Amino acid sequence: MFKIILLKEMRETIGSAKFVFSFSVCTVLILLAFYVGARNYQVNRAQYEASVRENLRQMEGLTDWGQVESQIFLPPTPLAALISGLSNDVGRSIKVEAVGELISENSRYGEDPIYAVFRFLDLEFVFQVVLSLFAILLAYNAVNGEKEQGTLKLTFANAVPKDRYILAKLSGVFASVVVPMLLPILIGCGILVIMDIPMNGSEWLRLAMIVVAGLLFFMVFLNLSIFVSAKTERSSYSFLILLIAWIFFVLIVPRTSILLAGRAIDVPSIDEIHAQKFRNQSQLWTEDMQKIDAFVPPSNDPEKAFAAFNTFMNTTRETRETKIAEFNQRLNEDRNNRQAVQREWAFGIARFSPATSLSLAVMSLAGTSHAIAQQFLDQARSYQQSFAQFIKSKNNGETGGHMVRVKIGGAPQEKAKPINPYEIPAFHFQSMSVGEYITPALTDIGLLIGFNLMFFAGAVWAFSKFDVR
Amino acid sequence: MTPMLEAKNLTKRYEDQTLALDRVSFSVLPGQIYAMLGGNGAGKTTTINIFLNFINPTDGEALVDGIVTHLQPLAAKTKIAFVSENVMLYPNFTAIENLEYFTKLAGKRYVKKDLESVLSRVGLQKEAFDRKLKGFSKGMRQKCGIAIAILKDAPAIILDEPTSGLDPKAGFEFMKLLMELREEQKAILMSTHDIFRAKENSDVVGIMNQGQLVMQRTQKELEGEDLEKLYVQFMAGYMEPVSA
C-alpha cells in the first residue's frame, strides 16, 4: 500500500510542470553555488597568500626589531565558500604588535560593500529560500488538491489507512525531489575536485551533513505544507497560508528575535567602548606625562642619565600599556559577555523558526558561525604572546613600541643590519576538530527533526479529521 | 441468503442537527440490483457515504458481508467497489495508468492485457487506453470508473448516480454492464434519478424522501405499477414510510 501510493506520488510529481520548473531552477542554482564558491575560494586563497607575502616583504627594509609589527590573516576555507555565513562579515586580518589590543579588520563586506547589498549565492540560500519555496509549491495541495480533483474519494473507497497515506505522500514528494536533486549536488562535488579545491575528510563529512540539514529543512516545509493542506478545504487557501508561514519563519522570526533580544539585554555600542578606552588612555597618558616631567636623573653623567631615562620610559610605557590592556580587556570581556547573553536570547527566540535552525546548523558545520571571529581573535592573542617573546629575544628584552633610543658617545655606530622577517614565527590558523564543528550543529539538526515530527504529527492528526468526500 | 449490503436503522444527524437519515433499513443480496430513488437531499448519498465509511452513522449500522462499516472500515472497504456520479481520476495519467494504480490500491495485480480487456469490455475505444485522462469526456471517465470497479472484483458495488450526465446510448451501455455484473453475483446498490432504468433493470427499488425510506418494492411487486406515479406520490408524502 505504502509503496503503491509513494510510487504514484513520485510519478505524479515528476510528471508535473511545477517539478520540471523547480528542478531546473534548483539544478542551475546548486551548480552555480558550487562553481561560484570554488572560484571565490581560489581567488580568496590567492589573495590570502599574496597578503602573507606582502606582509613579510614590507618588513624587509627594517633594521630595528622594535619597530616590527606583523599582520596575520584568516585563511579562507572551502566550506566557507559554499556556506558563507559570517565569514564575509568578520575582519580577515589583525595587526599584531608585541603588546596592545588586537582588532580584526578588513572584512570582505567592508572592502566590497556591493557584496553586502546582495550577499552571495551559496548553498544556504538555495536550501533556505529556494528549496523551501519549492516544497510549498510541490505540496500545498497535497491533500485538498486531491479532494478538489475528486480522486481522494475514490482512493478512500479502498482500504487505505489515512496515516499511511500521509506518510506515503510525504515520502513520495520528498523522494521525487531529493533523488534528482542529489545529482547536481554530486556534480557540484565533482566541480570542487576538478577545480582542485583542497577538501579534507572532515570537510567532506561536514559538507554531507550540510546537505542533510538542508534536506531536513526542505522536509519541514513539505510536512508543513501537507499539514496545512489537510487542515484547509481549498488549495488556494493553503497556498496563501503557506506563503504567510514562509514569510513568518524565514523573514520575520529571525529579524524579530534580534529586536527582542536587543530590548531584553543592553549591550554598550562599540563607540561607547571606544570612548571609554580613549578616556582611560588619555588619563593614563596625562599621569605619565606628569611622571616624565617629574623625572630627575640619578646622575649628572649624560650617559647614565640617558640610560636611566630610557629605563624609566620603558618601565612607564610598559606599565601604562599593561594598564590599558587590562582595562580594555575588562571592557571587551564585559561587552562580549553581554553580547553572548544577547546572542543566546536572540538564537533562543529565533529557533522558533526552522530557518534559523538551518542557518545555525550549516554555519556551525561550515565553520562560518559567529564563533569564527572569536576563534581568530583567540588564536591571534595566543600568537601575540609568542610574537612578543620573539621580539624581546631580538630586541634586548624589550618589546619595542616606537620609543627612540638615543646613544651619546661611545664607539662609532656600525651600519645597522636589516632584520630577517622570515625569522618571525609564522601564524597558522588552527581549524577545529570535526567534533567541535559538529557538536554545536547537533542541537539545530535535532530541532529540524523536531519540527519535522511536529508538523508530520499535525498532518496525520488533521487528515484523520479530514472529510474526504 | 445472507445480504451482502445491509442497512439497519441507519440514522445520521449532522452537527447542525439536520436529520439526514432516519432509521433506514434495507438489504441487498448477491446477484441483486437495488435502486435507490429520491430527490436531492433525500439521503441517498449519505447512505452510500456511511457504507463507504466516509462518515459515521449517529445510530444504527451499515454492514458489508456482515462487517459493520464504522467498526471495521478497512475490512469492509475490501468488499466494496465504488463508482461515483462524476468519476475523477488522475488527469496526467493515462487510462491504463489510472487503472493500474487504483487496482493495486485495491490489492489486485493485473498485467496490461487484462486492464485493456476490461477497458474494452466497458466500451472504451482502444485508442484512448494510453491517452491521458485530461482529455476524456464524462462518459469515458465513467467507463474507466466502472472498469476500476470490475477489476477490484469486490462482492458489492456501490454506484452514486452513475448514469447522470451520460447520453442515452452511454447510459444504456452502462446499465447493460451492470446487468452482466449482476449475473456475476455482485450485490449492486445504486442511487439514481432515473425512474425508467430503475424499474427496468433493478430487482428492488427503494424511494427515499427527507432521510426516510418511504417505499421499497421488488421488481415483481412493481409489475403493472406506474413507478413514476408512485415516486411522485411518495415524494409528496402521500404515503407512510416503510417500517423497519
Side-chain angles (χ1 to χ4, degrees), chain A residues 1 4-5 8 11-12 15-16 146 149-151 153-161 165 467-469, chain B residues 14 49 52 54-55 74 77-78 80 82 88-91 93 97 100-102 104-106 109 148 152:
Chain A
M1 181 71 64
I4 296 162
I5 301 169
K8 187 278 296 180
R11 187 192 274 187
E12 203 186 5
S16 66
E146 287 243 12
Q149 192 175 255
T151 43
K153 205 171 172 179
L154 190 54
T155 300
F156 282 92
N158 292 294
V160 179
Y165 179 78
D467 187 352
V468 300
R469 289 173 294 161
Chain B
Y14 285 110
N49 284 338
L52 291 166
F54 290 159
I55 51 174
L74 295 182
K77 282 177 186 181
T78 59
I80 311 172
F82 172 60
M88 297 303 290
L89 302 168
Y90 291 102
F93 288 4
E97 285 168 347
E100 196 180 11
Y101 171 63
F102 282 105
K104 277 183 181 170
L105 213 54
R109 289 281 186 280
I148 290 167
K152 187 170 181 181

Side-chain angles (χ1 to χ4, degrees), chain B residues 83-97:
Chain B
V83 181
S84 66
E85 178 189 357
N86 194 2
V87 173
M88 297 303 290
L89 302 168
Y90 291 102
N92 286 328
F93 288 4
T94 65
I96 292 286
E97 285 168 347

